[in-house]
Amino acid sequence: MKTISVDDARAFDQYTIKEVGIPSLVLMERAALKSTENILSLKWDLQHVLIVAGSGNNGGDGLAVARLLKNKGVDAEVLLVGNPKHASIERTQQLNFAKHYGVKILDPNRIYWSKYTVIVDAIFGTGLSRDVAGNYPPIIKSINDAPAKKFSIDVPSGLNADTGKVMGTSVQADGTSTFAYAKKGMVTDNGKDYCGKLFVDDIGIYDPKTFEK
Ligand SMILES: NC(=O)C1=CN([C@@H]2O[C@H](COP(=O)(O)OP(=O)(O)OC[C@H]3O[C@@H](n4cnc5c(N)ncnc54)[C@H](O)[C@@H]3O)[C@@H](O)[C@H]2O)[C@@H](O)CC1
Ligand SMILES: [K+]
């Protein structure tokens, strides 16, 4: 299986958006469609689904998954984490789309973690750049301690996708949807353990070298 570095993943994303001209939001929708398809394919109990969405584009993916699940009649609710002032454009757009379809945005002080049957981890993806700290470790602990099945978007939040090492703490996923290519860290023993069942999704992002004229 072809594996790439986080830097490659981010460079291929930007190449697709800036050079090729496919809008970021289009890639995000494709990422969400594939992730939703993968979650449904696992045949888990979707009675109560919680999406934990960070302030960046990984969070944007998660909000799009929440909307797609809601549109399929799944009771998907969202916990927003991270500094809303740092929210990316696409994540903000996805929040508005989700609200349009009545996706419930929860009060962070009233989360009943044990209620959920599936928790979708959309806190950090390839943007993780340092050890998880601050208010994130308790959230990740609540996710890991919850009885729900866990599904991570792109990278289990807290896993270093280059080395497969845990950056302080990480979500321990039962399934992960990663985009374009598997990241090097995901095929290490530790990485495999944290990703659970790995789906590698073609969302229209490719290594430009494969198209060198
Ligand atoms: N347009 C694109 O580039 C696409 C990006 N995609 C998604 O976007 C993700 C990358 O999004 P972003 O670059 O916004 O970053 P992330 O959404 O991975 O991270 C969010 C933000 O968290 C902050 N952060 C990093 N480490 C932290 C730490 N330890 N503690 C607290 N905050 C921390 C960073 O400022 C980062 O911007 C991918 O993993 C994928 O899920 C996909 O939607 C495909 C298209
Ligand atoms: K994630």
Side-chain angles (χ1 to χ4, degrees):
M1 171 193 321
K2 173 173 169 110
T3 62
I4 60 171
S5 69
V6 167
D7 285 348
D8 283 343
R10 296 176 69 76
F12 299 172
D13 268 6
Q14 290 314 306
Y15 173 84
T16 309
I17 296 159
K18 303 247 184 326
E19 299 298 313
V20 180
I22 300 179
S24 174
L25 214 47
V26 167
L27 298 171
M28 189 169 276
E29 286 297 312
R30 290 177 62 132
L33 278 166
K34 284 285 186 183
S35 301
T36 303
E37 199 179 288
N38 295 333
I39 290 167
L40 293 172
S41 76
L42 290 165
K43 302 264 180 272
W44 288 343
D45 173 6
L46 298 175
Q47 194 64 29
H48 293 292
V49 179
L50 174 68
I51 288 89
V52 185
S55 60
N57 285 354
N58 194 247
D61 291 351
L63 284 161
V65 168
R67 166 176 44 95
L68 295 176
L69 286 172
K70 177 88 179 168
N71 292 354
K72 287 180 184 302
V74 172
D75 162 29
E77 302 178 327
V78 168
L79 169 62
L80 297 174
V81 294
N83 186 337
K85 284 202 288 298
H86 297 163
S88 72
I89 295 167
E90 296 90 337
R91 189 274 205 167
T92 305
Q93 290 174 295
Q94 289 294 350
L95 179 55
N96 292 329
F97 302 159
K99 283 179 180 169
H100 187 93
Y101 288 97
V103 170
K104 196 162 163 226
I105 308 301
L106 296 169
D107 172 351
N109 303 311
R110 295 163 54 87
I111 302 291
Y112 304 104
W113 293 95
S114 53
K115 156 185 167 188
Y116 299 99
T117 53
V118 172
I119 298 177
V120 176
D121 153 34
I123 304 171
F124 305 120
T126 57
L128 184 73
S129 58
R130 55 191 185 279
D131 270 15
V132 175
N135 346 339
Y136 291 99
I139 292 168
I140 289 175
K141 181 169 178 7
S142 298
I143 294 171
N144 286 338
D145 292 350
K149 290 283 190 188
K150 286 83 178 186
F151 194 89
S152 287
I153 303 292
D154 207 17
V155 188
S157 296
L159 187 75
N160 181 316
D162 279 333
T163 64
K165 289 205 174 25
V166 167
M167 304 276 278
T169 182
S170 173
V171 168
Q172 171 94 45
D174 299 291
T176 297
S177 246
T178 197
F179 309 124
Y181 305 95
K183 283 51 177 195
K184 291 185 301 189
M186 294 179 165
V187 297
T188 62
D189 287 348
N190 197 54
K192 278 187 202 151
D193 184 36
Y194 273 85
C195 288
K197 180 170 175 39
L198 180 65
F199 298 85
V200 181
D201 302 320
D202 176 356
I203 62 166
I205 294 173
Y206 308 107
D207 177 345
K209 281 202 294 298
T210 47
F211 294 98
E212 232 139 50
K213 296 186 179 62

